Structures are given as C-alpha cells and as structure tokens.
Amino acid sequence: MLTEIFQSAKDASIDLALLDNDTINQILLAVADKAIAETESILEANAKDLSRMDKDNPMYDRLKLTKERIEGIAGDTRNVAKLPSPLGKVLKHTTLPNGLDLKRISVPFGVIGIVYEARPNVTFDVFALCLKAGSACILKGGKDADDSNRAIVCIIKSVLKDFGINENAITLLPATHEATGELLHANGYVDLVIPRGSKRLIDFVRQEASVPVIETGAGVCHAYFDKDANTEKGARIINNAKTRRVSVCNALDCTLIHEERLADLPTICAPLKNSNVLIYADEASSAALTGSYPAELLKPACEESFGTEFQSYTMTLKTVTSADEAIQHIRRFGSGHSECIITENRTTADKFLAQVDAACVYHNAPTAFTDGAQFGLGAEIGISTQKLHARGPMALEEITTYKWIIEGDGQTRPK
C-alpha cells in the first residue's frame, strides 16, 4: 500500500503553499544547473534504459536523452523560472450590495499525479511546472525509463534538500501496474491525475481512475491541402509536420488533398522521400504518385489505415472532393489534438477553423507547433484533448485552480 507515500506528498503540498515565488525560482534555476552538472550520470542511467529497448521501437527516440536534449530541458526549466507566478491572481473581484467583498483567486491544485511512458524529459518538465504552480507531484513513469527517471528525481531531491524544502514535493512511484492502480484511486490524497502517453494508456486511466483526470497526448493529426493551396508552402508544411520528430503527439499522420490538386502531389511529397516516409495512399492519390514516389514506399490504403497515430515515418494520404469532405473525415478519424488547413482562400480557411473540433487548429502552419514552449508558455505538462478545465498545451495557468475569498464585517444572511 502506498498510502503513507500519498500522505507525505499531501503534507509536502501544504508546505509548498508557504513558499514565495523568488524561492521557487531559485530552486528551479538550481535544478537546471544541477541537470547540466550531472549530465553524465543522467546519460549513464538513460543508457541502461536504452539497452533494454529495440532501436526500431517508435518510443526509442522519446526515451533517448543526449547532452543537447538535457541542455534543452535545463533551458525549459530556466524559462519556467522566468515566467510570472500563476498563483494569487485576482480572477474576479466584486462588492455585493450588503458590503461583502468577494475575490476569486488562483491557487494550487495541491497534489498532481502524472502517469507517463518512456519520456524522461517529462520528469523535469512536470516538476518545474508543478513547483511553480505550488503543487506537489507524484510521478508514475514506465518501466522502460525507470533508471533515467530515478536518476533525475535523485538530482531534484538533492536540490530540494539543499534549500531545506520537503523532498516529498516530488515522488516517483514504483514502475508497476499496481502502483498505477493505487495512484488512480488515491482519493483524498491526489487532486488531479494527468496521463501522458499512448491512446491505450490514456483510455485506461480515464476508465479506471476515481480521482479527477485531464486527458492528454493521443494525437491523430491531419493536414488538408485545399484546391486553393500554395504548392511550395504546402510541401514545406507537410514535410515539417511529418518528419521533424515522428514520435511526438503533434506529428502529422494523414494528409488530405483536394481532387483538383492531385497533379501537384509529386511536388508536395518530394521532400518526404528524403526521410523514407512510407505512404498508405487511396487509389486516386496513389495513381498521382506512381512513377515519382519510390514504389517500395507507396502502399494501398484501406479503411483501417486511417485514424492511426503512427509515431513513425508513416503517413496516410486521401483524396477529397471538398473542404466539407475533409472536415467530415477529420471529425470521424481525428483525436481532437491538432489539425491543419493549407489554403490561400480566406473563406475556406475560416470555415475550417470554425468547424474543425480540435484543441489546436492551424491555417498555413504545421501541427508541429503544438507545444507549450512554442506557444510561449514555458515547458508544458501535456496537450489536453478534452474540453473541461484545460484544452491544448497545459502550462502554469492550466494546472492551477481557484477559490473564493470573502471579506465581511459582521454581515448576516436574512432568513
């Protein structure tokens, strides 16, 4: 039973409520500095994790840490320290006719649990955001990244100890299914759980948890190349969305192309050949690509090809007769994460932006930009694909809640 661990995290969250923003920022900067100083030890732990995973596994790239990636993580942590505190903001202020003074102010959640897979960078990101937002965090990482996560948490705890802060402000649970189950039912101890990972993981957490959940992660992303699209612009956007980093949730999975622009497909898809992108194409788009795209990388699509988050150098391609058909396809197969239209027609773009139901909808820009840091939010805790409380990149404001403060002078409520 992990009840004592959960209670310790809850106690730590109460201690965090007394920390001032300057101290929090100093801790974050110290964590960033120590991450750089301990790069070798982090990489040694990460190498143990990598040795247990097949390099062809799409998760391998997410699991892998490098000197450059650790520098980037440290940079994100420093960026969080630079951000204004999300706490204590007066969200609403009014005085009632009876003289009661009402304020709605932003406050910490308390204890936030994160269930995630082979992404050790999440360990740093979650701690930085939760600390800045005044909450303790309980982490349940996957066994694939356990050595990396434990090395990172050890570094963070050492910094907390140096500052005289309760080390239970961050807790890493055992990498077992049993620990996940206990976290999801830690009512009274955990205020919120956020899953980050595959659709299977997210579905499990949503269905199993008895504590509040915000869904994040699963991304089946589309780009629609409209009849009024610019070819060169479209080729650049689609290539970036598909190949920049294939294992992340904002990577492109399906390109929809208007039937009047099939002749442009060889140009649009030309950059994808350099990354050996495998394309599952419908009959019309396959015919348009035959002879210009490598035959071994061009396969016939079937109904089951669509609605898949590939997390690899794989993409589907479908011909549509109109923007309406593209929107209908996205409604059926999209996951509510990120969608894109490429067009020079303002009316068509506005229709797409209004009717596509996703957390992030783009016009003439790749879905690759769906990221808290890219949105100027600092490091993110995840991409919410639901509609309650938070949607899209979740950063500091999204991991706070609020309470009402009522000031009176002896007023009583009449019967």
Side-chain angles (χ1 to χ4, degrees):
M1 294 290 290
L2 301 174
T3 303
E4 290 185 8
I5 291 176
F6 297 147
Q7 181 64 60
S8 296
K10 189 172 184 67
D11 292 342
S13 73
I14 296 172
D15 294 340
L16 292 179
L18 299 176
L19 281 186
D20 62 87
N21 191 51
D22 287 341
T23 301
I24 289 173
N25 292 340
Q26 290 172 27
I27 293 171
L28 292 177
L29 294 174
V31 166
D33 291 343
K34 191 141 191 174
I36 298 298
E38 296 290 338
T39 294
E40 290 306 315
S41 64
I42 295 173
L43 293 180
E44 287 176 11
N46 187 241
K48 294 178 183 178
D49 291 328
L50 290 170
S51 70
R52 298 191 295 267
M53 182 177 285
D54 185 343
K55 290 185 177 181
D56 292 330
N57 188 325
M59 299 298 289
Y60 189 89
D61 180 61
R62 288 188 173 192
L63 173 61
K64 186 177 182 180
L65 293 174
T66 63
K67 181 176 180 293
E68 292 72 25
R69 287 185 179 181
I70 292 174
E71 289 174 350
I73 290 168
D76 287 341
T77 302
R78 293 189 181 101
N79 288 338
V80 173
K82 295 176 183 177
L83 295 172
S85 173
L87 302 174
K89 290 185 176 180
V90 178
L91 307 175
K92 188 173 184 178
H93 186 193
T94 187
T95 302
L96 300 182
N98 63 5
L100 284 178
D101 186 81
L102 275 65
K103 290 180 182 177
R104 189 169 72 188
I105 64 170
S106 57
V107 297
F109 263 100
V111 178
I112 298 177
I114 309 291
V115 183
Y116 58 115
E117 296 173 319
R119 296 191 66 174
N121 65 294
V122 171
T123 307
F124 277 115
D125 292 348
V126 166
F127 169 75
L129 287 165
C130 285
L131 183 69
K132 185 78 174 185
S135 288
C137 58
I138 298 178
L139 310 179
K140 170 53 185 67
K143 63 181 181 180
D144 291 331
D146 197 47
D147 282 299
S148 303
N149 289 335
R150 296 204 174 278
I152 293 167
V153 169
C154 183
I155 288 170
I156 294 171
K157 282 182 174 290
S158 70
V159 173
L160 291 173
K161 185 177 180 180
D162 290 342
F163 278 82
I165 305 301
N166 192 328
E167 295 177 37
N168 295 312
I170 181 171
T171 300
L172 180 65
L173 298 180
T176 64
H177 293 298
E178 292 75 14
T180 303
E182 289 197 50
L183 175 63
L184 299 183
H185 295 288
N187 299 75
Y189 301 102
V190 176
D191 299 285
L192 173 69
V193 168
I194 302 172
R196 289 193 59 170
S198 65
K199 184 178 186 299
R200 180 181 177 184
L201 170 69
I202 294 166
D203 288 345
F204 171 78
V205 170
R206 183 183 64 249
Q207 294 164 11
E208 179 69 17
S210 57
V211 297
V213 173
I214 294 181
E215 300 174 37
T216 72
V220 180
C221 302
H222 299 78
Y224 167 52
F225 188 88
D226 183 52
K227 68 177 181 178
D228 296 314
N230 177 281
T231 303
E232 185 274 333
K233 191 181 294 184
R236 189 169 65 249
I237 289 170
I238 290 168
N239 183 59
N240 183 250
K242 177 69 259 182
T243 68
R244 187 197 72 86
R245 196 173 175 189
V246 296
S247 64
V248 293
C249 58
N250 58 29
L252 178 64
D253 295 297
C254 177
T255 295
L256 307 169
I257 184 167
H258 195 283
E259 62 180 0
E260 295 182 18
R261 299 301 298 274
L262 284 171
D264 294 286
L265 260 184
T267 301
I268 295 168
C269 294
L272 301 175
K273 292 187 287 188
N274 298 327
S275 299
N276 294 317
V277 173
L278 175 63
I279 297 178
Y280 287 95
D282 67 356
E283 186 174 349
S285 57
S286 180
L289 284 176
T290 298
S292 66
Y293 203 79
E296 68 275 13
L297 295 176
L298 188 59
K299 306 293 182 182
C302 60
E303 185 74 6
E304 290 72 28
S305 303
F306 302 103
T308 299
E309 183 181 19
F310 291 106
Q311 296 185 323
S312 64
Y313 288 96
T314 306
M315 183 183 81
T316 52
L317 185 56
K318 180 177 176 59
T319 308
V320 295
T321 60
S322 65
D324 287 332
E325 186 180 348
I327 292 169
Q328 287 297 328
H329 181 94
I330 292 170
R331 284 178 180 169
R332 180 178 179 186
F333 294 103
S335 63
H337 192 292
S338 300
E339 310 292 359
C340 159
I341 182 172
I342 304 162
T343 187
E344 300 303 306
N345 186 311
R346 187 69 248 181
T347 300
T348 304
D350 287 343
K351 181 175 186 177
F352 187 93
L353 296 173
Q355 293 189 343
V356 168
D357 187 15
C360 301
V361 188
Y362 293 83
H363 174 212
N364 287 345
T367 56
F369 281 107
T370 301
D371 177 86
Q374 292 296 314
F375 281 20
L377 305 176
E380 71 183 31
I381 207 163
I383 309 293
S384 172
T385 54
Q386 66 179 45
K387 299 181 182 181
L388 287 178
H389 181 71
R391 200 177 194 196
M394 292 176 58
L396 292 174
E397 290 186 6
E398 288 73 29
I399 55 171
T400 62
T401 183
Y402 62 79
K403 66 181 178 184
W404 291 91
I405 301 295
I406 304 95
E407 299 277 3
D409 189 27
Q411 294 93 329
T412 59
R413 183 173 176 177
K415 295 181 180 180

